[in-house]
């Protein structure tokens, strides 16, 4: 065929493959600004213009673009590099976090603006919920996108040494808005092979035989890998600094499958199409085994033991009973506490599976590069294939590059200097990428074939083959006196960890920690279980179990106040711990955890002020709707226990600027911006004179990873220590270079002032190089994540409920956060808003549903309801004024914690409006309607 089109003004005549969509066609031409997010036209990340019209290129056949003009985000800017006005506004407003969806929003906005005033203008720009109904964002909460469209600027350009506490834009912002930021798969690797996975159709079965012959007969198929090709050793897909935190119950490819969707075989071929066809032709013979999907049933005698063949070295608590982990403990005597109470309340709460739904799916690319000059070249022992002076590079969408390298080297007996793991810009994480879900099997194929190999999950595979938030069943019994003072608390927690125990024990343990330690009671007891079932595995998710139990305890405290006819905030104030008090729970006091700053009282004051009066801008409830309000609190440790390590290096470069080298990955968490601010502040310079290398195991010695809210309080502290040390070294060298007393040498943005003599930093670097003292112009910092502080959050909602339909409308949303000294208010506000939006989705409609075989039935965005632009209200965000004694310059973490109080605050507001206590998430409108339509008083729902 004769095929021609223009892409961003450049001609292209490469014929598309039969059935190829425009998205893959454009990406194969190198236009990586076009993103893959959903495969089905649901998310808008792939939006491009075809003759000026915005289209979802993943469902637009490439052949339809023949003889047309296609514009991608790379083509929006002018030929001279001047940003398109929409790109400039998104940059000035910081209308993005991870940025994976940003090109889609930019292209949609630019097309609508081009139509404004024309015959095609249908007013969508005045109705943004309608304009963006085809675009999803998982990070921002949409307010920042709204501001970007409307031209509300937030970024600042502070003077030298004034970066901390200011609204600096993300260093990668210009690359994000122009489409030049490089995410995991935005690379062109010559000779690349593609992997697809054969997945189990059964919830529990033994693999008896795998016939590869038909698959190997497919043209282009190079290999079919099964359990016979994989290492016969167990590990965990969870990534923690200390691997013993997680059970070793997983194999790369196993001869027993334990959930529908578990990988059985891997087909590697020249193209995705050939690999998919190879998967269809692999014939697997199974012996079906009994399965169990309910965790309570899984613990009963006679239930099928999913990992009964594992020994004690797997660190499973009770494999025969499907209990991967458990904790039991008591302070005082809870039965005595209940006997002393004037009122005793007991209720059971249930939370559901939630998908992380990061728009960039899991995946990685593994390829070989020549060893660096300082490599030993001998290759070590073991591994698959001889070493030839090359080493393996794994480019992955991961939050934990260093821990993933460590796990791969242990799995395949490869020395660490022969494996490099690097993360590009990561398109969302939320804990889901604190796992090794693709790197292990891709590395197996790359080592076996000595060829580059790529595996990129489809959106359906994200649901079937990645992890979810842990479903919880939480029974809480509390006793209290008539004034609301607690006398006893008893938690019984059952967490469904699914078929594998990655993160299971740790999530269960964390869930009952801060949630119980936050409130005083002389008698406390905990019984908690993490249980195997034949369901898709659960894993790390924002809040790490704390949100599930916080929903229960904050709901029951609210119910206690209502039954005692007391103000719910007063009941909390009467029982919450104060500054300097020990944080006690039956699981044991964590010795390195402290209340190093206390802003909960300020958070409560914000909520009381919100309750007192509505601003004039607050929407009025529709006539006949029920109106209520509710609040909830939460406390979270500013890092995981047991140590979380970060090393950083800050160096003076030949041009007089600085470079930060730190291992933390950037996925919209904003750590890169904070690290830049800390460095600029310590070195008395401006942020544009600081660059960053990150998330690459070649950069520094080690970094545990970007999880557990540690980007600021651990990696940030390491960066600050390095930058501060470098400032002192530079002063010493400047004094030596000039012969001026050290105390008379003052560091500025680009030079030293040494008793009136200006010494440019470039001059210092040159002098150090010539004198052989170059090492003096860099410094390293290390932080081990201990001691740790705690952060507090409070949320308040005012809602209206339509009794005729069950529709819930949020009239006001107010969040108070104790983040210590806020490094970047604009960015921290975005973290809060994104956490609130994600939590609202989990509260109101998100649910990964499984059938009675444990199979996921909601494996697409159109069947899994993500919050859209129209669903998320603007949240008023307030920060407490505190300064932490542990965090860098007084900062605390604020990426996970905003999620935790949202669900109970909303259901408490629903209780106030409707009189019904909702004990099960999500609170969908049909459940609300059924409860309100019941002819008899509705029980808890």
């Amino acid at each position: 065929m004769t095929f021609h089109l223009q892409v961003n003004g450049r001609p292209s005549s490469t014929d598309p493959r039969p059935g190829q969509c425009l998205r893959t066609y454009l990406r194969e031409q190198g236009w990586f600004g076009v993103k893959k997010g959903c495969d089905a036209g649901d998310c808008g990340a792939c939006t491009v213009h075809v003759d000026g019209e915005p289209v979802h290129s993943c469902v637009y056949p490439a052949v339809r673009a023949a003889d047309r003009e296609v514009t991608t985000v790379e083509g929006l800017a002018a030929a001279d590099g001047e940003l398109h006005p929409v790109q400039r506004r998104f940059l000035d407003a910081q209308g993005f976090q991870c940025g994976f969806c940003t090109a889609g929003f930019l292209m949609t906005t630019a097309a609508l603006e081009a139509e404004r005033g024309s015959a095609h203008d249908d007013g969508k720009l005045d109705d943004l919920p309608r304009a963006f109904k085809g675009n999803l964002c998982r990070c921002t909460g949409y307010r920042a996108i709204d501001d970007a469209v409307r031209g509300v600027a937030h970024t600042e350009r502070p003077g030298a040494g004034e970066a901390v506490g200011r609204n600096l834009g993300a260093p990668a912002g210009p690359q994000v808005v122009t489409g030049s930021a490089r995410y995991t798969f935005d690379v062109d690797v010559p000779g690349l092979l593609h992997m697809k996975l054969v997945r189990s159709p059964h919830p529990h079965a033994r693999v008896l035989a795998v016939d590869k012959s038909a698959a190997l007969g497919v043209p282009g198929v190079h290999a079919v890998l099964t359990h016979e090709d994989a290492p016969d050793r167990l590990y965990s897909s969870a990534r923690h600094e200390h691997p013993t935190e997680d059970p070793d119950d997983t194999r790369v490819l196993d001869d027993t499958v334990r959930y529908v969707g578990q990988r059985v075989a891997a087909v590697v071929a020249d193209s995705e199409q050939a690999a998919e066809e190879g998967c269809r032709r692999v014939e697997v013979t199974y012996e079906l085994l009994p399965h169990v999907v309910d965790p309570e049933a899984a613990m009963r005698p006679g239930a099928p033991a999913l990992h009964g063949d594992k020994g004690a070295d797997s660190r499973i608590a009770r494999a025969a009973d499907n209990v991967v982990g458990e904790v039991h403990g008591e302070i005082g005597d809870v039965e005595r506490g209940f006997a002393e109470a004037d009122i005793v309340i007991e209720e059971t709460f249930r939370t559901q599976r939630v998908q992380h739904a990061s728009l960039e799916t899991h995946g990685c690319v593994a390829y070989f590069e020549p060893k660096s000059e300082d490599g030993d070249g001998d290759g070590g022992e073991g591994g698959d294939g001889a070493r030839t002076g090359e080493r393996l590079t794994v480019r992955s969408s991961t939050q934990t590059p260093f821990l993933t390298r460590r796990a791969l080297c242990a799995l395949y007996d490869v020395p660490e200097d022969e494996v490099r793991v690097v993360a590009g810009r990561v398109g969302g994480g939320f804990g889901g990428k604190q796992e090794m879900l693709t790197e292990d099997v891709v590395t197996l194929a790359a080592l076996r074939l000595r060829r580059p190999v790529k595996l990129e999950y489809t959106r359906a595979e994200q649901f079937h083959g990645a992890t979810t938030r842990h479903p919880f069943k939480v029974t809480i019994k509390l006793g209290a006196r008539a004034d609301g003072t607690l006398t006893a608390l008893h938690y019984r927690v059952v967490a469904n960890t699914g078929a594998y125990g990655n993160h299971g024990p740790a999530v269960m343990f964390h869930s009952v920690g801060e949630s119980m330690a936050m409130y005083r009671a002389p008698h406390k007891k905990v019984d908690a279980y993490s249980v195997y079932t034949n369901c898709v595995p659960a894993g790390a998710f924002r809040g790490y179990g704390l949100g599930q139990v916080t929903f229960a305890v904050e709901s029951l405290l609210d119910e206690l106040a209502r039954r005692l006819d007391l103000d719910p905030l007063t009941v909390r104030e009467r029982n919450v711990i104060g500054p300097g008090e020990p944080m006690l729970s039956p699981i044991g006091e964590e010795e390195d955890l402290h209340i190093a700053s206390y802003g909960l009282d300020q958070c409560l004051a914000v909520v009381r002020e919100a309750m007192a009066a509505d601003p004039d801008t607050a929407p009025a409830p529709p006539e006949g709707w029920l109106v209520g309000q509710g609040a909830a609190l939460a406390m979270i440790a500013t890092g995981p226990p047991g140590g979380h390590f970060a090393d950083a290096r800050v160096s003076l470069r030949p041009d007089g600027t600085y470079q930060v080298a730190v291992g933390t990955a950037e996925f919209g968490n904003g750590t890169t911006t904070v690290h830049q601010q800390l460095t600029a502040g310590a070195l008395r310079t401006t942020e544009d004179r600081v660059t960053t290398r990150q998330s690459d195991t070649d950069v520094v010695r080690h970094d545990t990873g970007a999880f557990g809210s540690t980007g600021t309080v651990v990696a940030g502290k390491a960066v600050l220590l390095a930058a501060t040390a470098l400032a002192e070294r530079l002063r010493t060298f400047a004094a030596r270079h000039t012969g001026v007393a050290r105390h008379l040498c003052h560091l500025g943005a680009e030079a030293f002032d040494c008793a009136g003599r200006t010494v440019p930093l470039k001059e210092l670097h040159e002098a150090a190089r010539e004198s052989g003292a170059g090492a003096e112009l860099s410094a390293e910092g290390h932080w081990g994540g201990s001691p740790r502080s705690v952060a507090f959050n409070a949320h308040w909602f005012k809602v209206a409920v339509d009794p005729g339909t069950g529709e819930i409308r949020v009239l006001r949303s107010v969040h108070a956060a104790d983040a210590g000294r806020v490094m970047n208010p604009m960015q921290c506000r975005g973290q809060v808003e994104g956490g609130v939006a994600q939590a609202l989705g989990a509260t109101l409609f998100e649910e990964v549903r499984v059938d009675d075989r444990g199979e996921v039935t909601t494996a697409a965005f159109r069947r899994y309801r993500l919050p859209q632009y129209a669903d998320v209200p603007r949240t008023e965000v307030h920060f407490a004024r505190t300064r932490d004694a542990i965090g860098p310059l007084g900062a605390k973490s604020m990426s996970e914690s905003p999620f935790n109080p949202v669900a109970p605050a909303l259901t408490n507001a629903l209780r106030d409006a409707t009189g019904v206590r909702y004990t099960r998430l999500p609170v969908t409108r049909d459940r609300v309607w059924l409860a309100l339509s019941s002819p008899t008083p509705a029980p808890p729902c």
Side-chain angles (χ1 to χ4, degrees):
M1 63 179 287
T2 302
F3 182 84
H4 299 283
L5 79 160
Q6 294 277 328
V7 183
N8 299 326
R10 301 181 189 178
S12 177
S13 57
T14 302
D15 289 348
R17 296 188 303 275
Q20 186 174 26
C21 70
L22 183 58
R23 182 196 69 206
T24 59
Y25 179 87
L26 292 169
R27 287 185 60 82
E28 287 175 3
Q29 303 302 309
W31 301 109
F32 293 126
V34 185
K35 301 303 183 198
K36 168 190 170 179
C38 68
D39 312 303
D42 294 332
C43 76
C46 67
T47 302
V48 300
H49 297 172
V50 178
D51 287 344
E53 291 293 320
V55 302
H56 288 180
S57 60
C58 69
V59 292
Y60 191 96
V63 294
R64 287 186 57 190
D67 301 319
R68 295 175 182 264
E69 174 68 40
V70 175
T71 305
T72 74
V73 68
E74 292 97 330
L76 276 186
D80 61 0
E82 181 69 23
L83 293 180
H84 187 282
V86 172
Q87 291 172 312
R88 170 54 57 189
R89 294 203 303 271
F90 268 74
L91 192 60
D92 291 343
Q94 289 291 280
F96 54 86
Q97 285 184 26
C98 84
F100 201 80
C101 70
T102 303
F105 279 96
L106 285 166
M107 300 307 290
T108 300
T109 304
L112 295 177
E113 287 200 350
E115 290 181 355
R116 176 159 273 180
S118 72
H120 301 290
D121 184 3
D122 61 358
K124 283 184 181 176
L125 276 179
D126 299 317
D127 184 6
L128 292 184
R130 183 164 66 102
F132 291 134
K133 65 182 180 180
N135 294 83
L136 292 173
C137 176
R138 190 55 158 169
C139 297
T140 67
Y142 297 106
R143 187 275 313 162
I145 295 171
D146 184 287
D147 284 355
V149 174
R150 302 187 191 283
V152 181
H154 297 293
T155 57
E156 299 178 89
R157 294 296 303 274
E162 300 174 353
V164 173
R166 307 294 288 272
N167 294 331
L168 267 68
Q175 290 74 44
V176 169
V177 300
T178 58
S180 59
R182 290 295 173 251
Y183 295 80
T184 307
F185 298 110
D186 297 341
V187 291
D188 184 13
V189 181
L192 186 65
L193 300 178
H194 298 266
M195 176 183 286
K196 289 293 181 179
L197 298 173
V198 177
R199 295 185 177 274
S200 169
H202 306 296
H204 198 191
R206 187 171 293 112
V207 177
L208 300 181
V210 180
D211 186 347
K212 311 175 183 180
S213 56
L216 290 171
V218 174
V221 170
H222 289 257
V224 178
L225 304 174
T226 71
H227 66 273
E228 295 177 343
D229 304 291
D232 187 17
R233 61 180 57 174
L234 297 170
Y235 63 99
S236 173
S237 67
R239 300 289 92 229
H240 282 110
E241 179 64 39
H242 306 291
T244 54
E245 292 184 26
D246 309 299
D248 288 338
D249 57 8
T250 303
R251 285 186 63 193
V252 176
L253 294 166
D254 207 332
D255 58 357
T256 299
V257 292
R258 298 174 175 87
Y259 68 98
V260 176
Q262 180 171 336
R263 60 195 188 196
V264 176
V267 178
V268 187
D270 289 328
S271 67
E272 290 190 15
Q273 294 84 350
E276 288 173 350
E277 181 60 27
C279 287
R280 284 189 284 268
R281 297 194 186 189
V282 172
E283 296 184 9
V284 184
T285 303
Y286 296 97
E287 175 191 351
L288 300 188
L289 301 172
H291 66 276
V292 58
V293 298
D294 176 71
E296 295 281 11
M299 289 191 287
R300 295 182 190 131
L306 275 66
H307 295 275
D309 58 333
K310 306 294 193 301
D313 54 348
S314 286
R315 298 182 302 281
I316 298 171
R318 288 187 284 129
D321 301 318
N322 290 316
V323 176
V324 62
E326 60 186 324
V327 61
H328 306 278
E330 187 169 10
I331 295 174
D333 182 346
V334 292
E335 292 306 320
R336 176 184 166 191
F338 292 134
E340 294 172 349
D342 296 314
I343 182 173
V344 175
I345 307 176
E346 182 175 6
E347 189 57 79
T348 297
F349 298 83
R350 290 174 172 83
T351 65
Q352 79 284 29
R353 290 177 184 81
V354 177
Q355 238 290 325
H356 302 83
S358 51
L359 289 192
E360 182 190 46
T361 60
H362 281 82
C364 68
V365 183
Y367 51 93
F368 292 91
E369 294 180 310
K371 279 185 138 187
S372 59
E373 292 182 1
D374 58 353
D376 58 21
D378 64 9
E381 297 178 358
D384 289 4
R387 309 291 175 223
T388 59
E390 294 180 317
R391 66 168 179 170
L392 184 69
T393 292
V394 180
R395 181 179 174 88
S396 174
S397 184
T398 179
Q399 297 173 225
T400 58
F402 285 82
L403 301 187
T404 299
R405 180 182 67 171
R406 177 194 290 171
L408 291 175
C409 291
L411 191 57
Y412 292 106
D413 294 318
V414 179
E416 286 195 359
D417 68 342
E418 297 216 359
V419 177
R420 173 192 180 200
V421 175
V422 58
R425 190 172 178 88
V426 177
F430 319 114
K433 293 173 181 175
Q434 192 192 337
E435 305 273 358
M436 187 172 70
L437 298 181
T438 61
E439 300 92 339
D440 52 354
V441 69
V442 170
T443 296
L444 171 67
L447 291 174
R448 179 62 56 88
L449 299 172
R450 306 301 297 178
R451 291 278 302 275
V453 179
K454 169 187 173 183
L455 171 60
E456 182 178 11
Y457 274 12
T458 65
R459 181 54 56 185
E461 285 181 299
Q462 284 294 112
F463 285 95
H464 287 295
T467 59
T468 72
R469 190 184 191 211
H470 281 76
F472 267 57
K473 177 184 175 184
V474 183
T475 300
I476 295 186
K477 184 177 182 181
L478 65 79
R481 302 192 187 279
D483 65 355
T485 303
L486 294 176
T487 62
L489 277 172
H490 183 195
Y491 292 3
R492 184 181 184 274
V493 173
V494 178
N496 186 344
T497 198
Y500 292 90
N502 46 302
H503 296 282
V507 166
M508 175 270 300
F509 188 89
H510 186 243
S511 74
V512 297
E514 293 99 287
S515 65
M516 182 170 273
M518 184 174 174
Y519 289 105
R520 303 186 209 98
H523 309 284
K524 298 180 178 180
K525 185 177 181 181
V526 165
D527 294 290
Y529 309 84
S530 182
V531 185
Y532 287 124
T533 62
N534 293 109
C535 298
V536 60
F541 190 102
R542 202 173 200 162
Y544 212 66
L546 193 55
Q548 292 94 314
V549 177
T550 296
F551 166 58
V553 69
E554 289 294 308
S555 295
L556 205 58
L557 282 171
D558 188 80
E559 192 64 28
L560 171 68
R562 296 182 187 282
R563 295 191 189 185
L564 292 174
D565 197 23
L566 297 173
D567 173 38
L569 287 187
T570 299
V571 169
R572 288 175 173 83
E573 290 168 337
R574 197 158 284 164
N575 293 288
V576 75
I577 59 171
E581 293 187 40
M583 290 173 282
L584 302 177
S585 75
I587 63 175
E589 186 176 0
E590 298 180 65
E591 294 182 357
D592 73 332
L593 189 61
H594 309 279
I595 302 177
S597 60
Y598 190 85
L600 183 56
D601 51 350
Q602 297 179 52
C603 294
L604 285 164
V606 167
V607 171
R608 284 204 179 278
E609 184 177 347
M611 294 169 61
D614 282 336
D616 294 337
T617 55
E623 185 176 352
W625 287 38
L626 307 173
V627 179
Q629 60 179 325
L633 314 180
M635 178 179 78
I636 192 171
T638 60
H644 191 110
F645 304 108
D647 293 281
R649 182 187 302 113
V650 181
S651 307
L652 179 67
R653 303 180 71 194
D655 62 356
T657 63
Y658 300 98
Q659 182 180 79
V660 179
V662 63
T664 302
E666 175 63 60
F667 51 95
N669 47 352
T671 55
T672 308
T673 316
V674 170
H675 297 166
Q676 185 187 55
Q677 289 178 272
L678 290 167
T679 302
L683 291 165
R684 305 299 303 165
T685 190
T686 52
E687 79 283 358
D688 58 334
R689 298 183 61 79
V690 180
T691 57
T692 305
R693 289 183 65 205
Q694 62 193 143
S695 53
D696 185 336
T697 56
D698 275 6
V699 170
V700 289
R701 293 191 307 273
H702 182 73
D703 186 280
T704 297
F707 64 88
S709 305
T710 57
T712 294
V713 296
V714 178
K717 191 144 184 172
V719 168
L720 178 61
L721 290 170
T724 302
L726 178 58
E728 293 304 309
R729 287 190 177 187
L730 290 174
R731 182 175 287 108
T732 298
F733 188 81
R736 187 192 315 161
H737 176 65
T738 60
V740 174
R742 189 176 182 279
H743 72 279
L744 296 177
C745 295
H746 301 287
L747 180 58
E750 301 181 38
F752 267 94
D753 180 344
C754 295
R757 175 184 170 184
T758 299
V759 184
L761 294 174
K762 290 190 291 186
E763 179 182 324
L764 278 187
H765 189 280
E766 179 66 19
R769 188 186 64 79
E770 292 178 351
S771 67
E776 297 184 26
L777 304 189
S778 67
E780 295 188 346
H782 170 83
W783 186 246
S786 181
R788 299 172 295 144
S789 186
V790 290
F792 297 97
N793 295 77
H795 202 102
W796 174 81
F797 283 110
K798 183 177 181 181
V799 303
V801 182
D802 183 355
T805 65
E807 180 183 346
I808 300 167
R809 189 171 299 177
V810 176
L811 302 178
R812 282 188 72 193
S813 172
V814 176
H815 193 99
D818 173 22
R821 185 183 181 191
V822 179
M823 297 287 98
N824 188 315
M826 170 186 68
Q827 183 174 274
C828 196
R829 178 188 177 190
Q831 288 292 298
V832 171
E833 292 170 330
V836 170
Q838 195 171 48
L840 274 172
T843 304
L844 292 175
F845 30 73
E846 289 186 53
E847 182 172 14
V848 177
R849 295 177 183 163
V850 299
D851 61 18
D852 57 5
R853 301 170 64 251
E855 182 174 4
V856 173
T857 61
T858 51
F861 280 159
R862 62 188 56 191
R863 293 195 293 272
Y864 180 83
R865 178 83 156 79
L866 279 180
Q868 295 178 288
Y869 197 103
D871 298 316
V872 181
R874 281 205 170 211
T875 292
E876 305 163 37
V877 178
H878 303 266
F879 294 113
R881 295 185 178 182
T882 59
R883 191 181 183 98
D884 199 67
I886 296 174
L889 302 182
K892 294 197 282 194
S893 59
M894 196 48 57
S895 57
E896 290 185 274
S897 54
F899 187 102
N900 295 329
V902 170
L906 194 132
T907 55
N908 289 342
L910 289 177
R911 169 69 169 86
D912 189 47
T914 67
V916 178
R917 170 61 58 193
Y918 294 90
T919 61
R920 177 185 174 189
L921 297 180
V923 188
T924 55
R925 62 187 297 176
D926 58 327
R927 290 175 181 168
V928 174
W929 179 82
L930 285 170
L932 296 180
S933 301
S934 175
T936 58
C941 297

